Amino acid sequence: MRVRAVRGATQLEVDEAEHLLERTAELMQAVLKRNDLTADDVISIFLTATPDLRSAFPAAAVRGLGITDVPLMCAQEMDVHGAMPRVVRLMAHVQTPRTRDDIRHVYLHGTTVLRDDLREDDE
C-alpha cells in the first residue's frame, strides 16, 4: 500500500452550521467513494475553511460519518482578497494501491474553478 494525499473542496451558500456539516460530509463521502476507500484507509485529514465560515468545525461532519479514530485538524484558510468565499477544503492522507495519477480529487458546488487542471464531472 502507498500513502497518497487526496484533495477536495466545496462551497456553501450560507454560513449555517447544518449546511456546513452537510456539505463537508458530502465532500468526505465523495472522496471515499471516488477513490474506492473506506474509513480504515484514512490516515489523517486536514480541513480548512475560509474566514467567512464560523458556524461549525468541518471536522465535526467527518466525525458524524463515524470516522472517529483518525486524527483531524481544522484551520482557517488565508484571507486573500478576491478569493472564493464560503469554501471548505480538505486534504486526506490515505493508504491505497492507486498511483498518484489514479487519485480522484473532488471539487463540488462550483469549486472546480480552484483547480482547472483537475476538472472532471464533479458538478
Side-chain angles (χ1 to χ4, degrees):
M1 287 283 181
R2 297 178 173 126
V3 174
R4 299 284 184 217
V6 184
R7 287 290 319 269
T10 190
Q11 187 178 37
L12 285 65
E13 276 100 38
V14 294
D15 181 26
E16 294 176 357
E18 185 176 326
H19 185 54
L20 185 145
L21 297 173
E22 179 182 286
R23 287 279 172 98
T24 305
E26 175 190 32
L27 176 61
M28 187 69 231
Q29 290 169 322
V31 163
L32 294 173
K33 182 178 180 181
R34 292 182 187 186
N35 290 285
D36 298 315
L37 299 167
T38 68
D40 287 338
D41 298 319
V42 180
I43 298 168
S44 64
I45 304 170
F46 185 63
L47 298 127
T48 66
T50 50
D52 52 2
L53 295 177
R54 294 181 286 282
S55 61
F57 289 105
V62 176
R63 296 271 184 245
L65 294 174
I67 302 174
T68 58
D69 60 348
V70 171
L72 303 175
M73 181 174 282
C74 290
Q76 186 178 77
E77 194 72 34
M78 291 177 54
D79 191 8
V80 175
H81 180 71
M84 181 180 279
R86 300 176 314 281
V87 175
V88 173
R89 292 173 173 87
L90 74 75
M91 181 168 56
H93 297 96
V94 300
Q95 295 179 24
T96 180
R98 289 180 178 231
T99 66
R100 197 173 282 155
D101 289 339
D102 291 331
I103 294 294
R104 293 194 61 208
H105 304 283
V106 179
Y107 291 83
L108 304 174
H109 302 287
T111 59
T112 53
V113 299
L114 298 173
R115 289 295 307 263
D116 283 339
D117 59 318
L118 301 175
R119 183 167 290 194
E120 283 190 48
D121 58 337
D122 290 341
E123 284 299 314

